[in-house]
């Protein structure tokens, strides 16, 4: 249970939180990471110009997008594709092989659902897109 929690937190959960950031924040008006004006103090409607004035400058937007592009990079091999063999032996190879087969099946299921069931593909949690570790 503890090992599963560590693997999940440092791979799947991290991928779910980080790798969508550029897609979500990349178009600054969609979900601005910051606003440069004070928030409204009344419930009166804002004008389009009020909203535009609160958005960051083009230069700040480039900085924001650069940050989220870096945070969205996948810098290690995919989950289950280990770079270093820390454990050895036939039993270990069997467990790793079974784990890789499970990941392959899950990846196939996600790709299939993206193709036939989803309007917009959701591939953030495809095991082929989840790194083995956190690398920021």
């Amino acid at each position: 249970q503890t090992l599963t929690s560590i693997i999940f937190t440092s791979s799947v959960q991290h991928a779910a939180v980080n790798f969508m950031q550029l897609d979500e924040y990349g178009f600054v008006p969609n979900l601005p990471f910051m606003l440069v004006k004070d928030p409204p103090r009344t419930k009166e409607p804002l004008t389009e110009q009020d909203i535009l004035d609160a958005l960051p400058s083009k230069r700040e937007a480039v900085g924001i997008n650069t940050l989220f592009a870096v945070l969205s990079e996948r810098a290690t091999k995919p989950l289950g594709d280990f770079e270093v063999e820390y454990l050895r032996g036939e039993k270990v190879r069997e467990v790793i092989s079974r784990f890789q087969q499970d990941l392959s099946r899950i990846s196939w299921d996600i790709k299939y659902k993206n193709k036939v069931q989803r309007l917009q593909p959701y591939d953030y949690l495809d095991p082929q897109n989840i790194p083995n570790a956190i690398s920021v």
Side-chain angles (χ1 to χ4, degrees):
Q1 177 106 9
T2 301
L3 182 58
T4 300
S5 181
I6 291 169
I7 291 171
F8 179 83
T9 301
S10 63
S11 60
V12 178
Q13 184 176 9
H14 185 261
V17 172
N18 279 330
F19 299 134
M20 50 59 68
Q21 291 187 73
L22 184 59
D23 292 340
E24 292 293 322
Y25 297 113
F27 179 61
V28 175
N30 182 45
L31 193 61
F33 181 66
M34 64 182 263
L35 296 175
V36 295
K37 290 203 161 214
D38 291 334
R41 293 201 167 111
T42 68
K43 299 251 183 202
E44 291 186 35
L46 298 175
T47 67
E48 183 177 340
Q49 192 60 50
D50 292 331
I51 295 168
L52 290 173
D53 290 343
L55 293 174
S57 69
K58 288 179 186 176
R59 183 180 182 146
E60 291 166 325
V62 167
I64 291 167
N65 282 351
T66 301
L67 169 68
F68 291 119
V70 169
L71 291 175
S72 294
E73 287 181 3
R74 292 161 175 88
T76 64
K77 291 188 176 191
L79 188 60
D81 185 3
F82 304 106
E83 298 177 30
V84 178
E85 190 177 308
Y86 291 107
L87 302 172
R88 294 182 178 93
E90 187 59 34
K91 186 72 172 167
V92 170
R93 281 191 288 279
E94 289 173 16
V95 169
I96 289 173
S97 177
R98 195 168 49 242
F99 180 57
Q100 290 170 335
Q101 289 171 4
D102 289 346
L103 292 173
S104 180
R105 182 184 43 77
I106 292 166
S107 180
W108 187 90
D109 287 346
I110 289 171
K111 284 176 176 54
Y112 176 79
K113 288 178 182 178
N114 281 342
K115 190 174 185 178
V116 300
Q117 294 179 348
R118 296 185 176 119
L119 179 62
Q120 182 72 21
Y122 185 83
D123 62 354
Y124 302 113
L125 298 183
D126 181 337
Q128 290 183 342
N129 296 331
I130 297 173
N132 268 326
I134 297 170
S135 58
V136 178

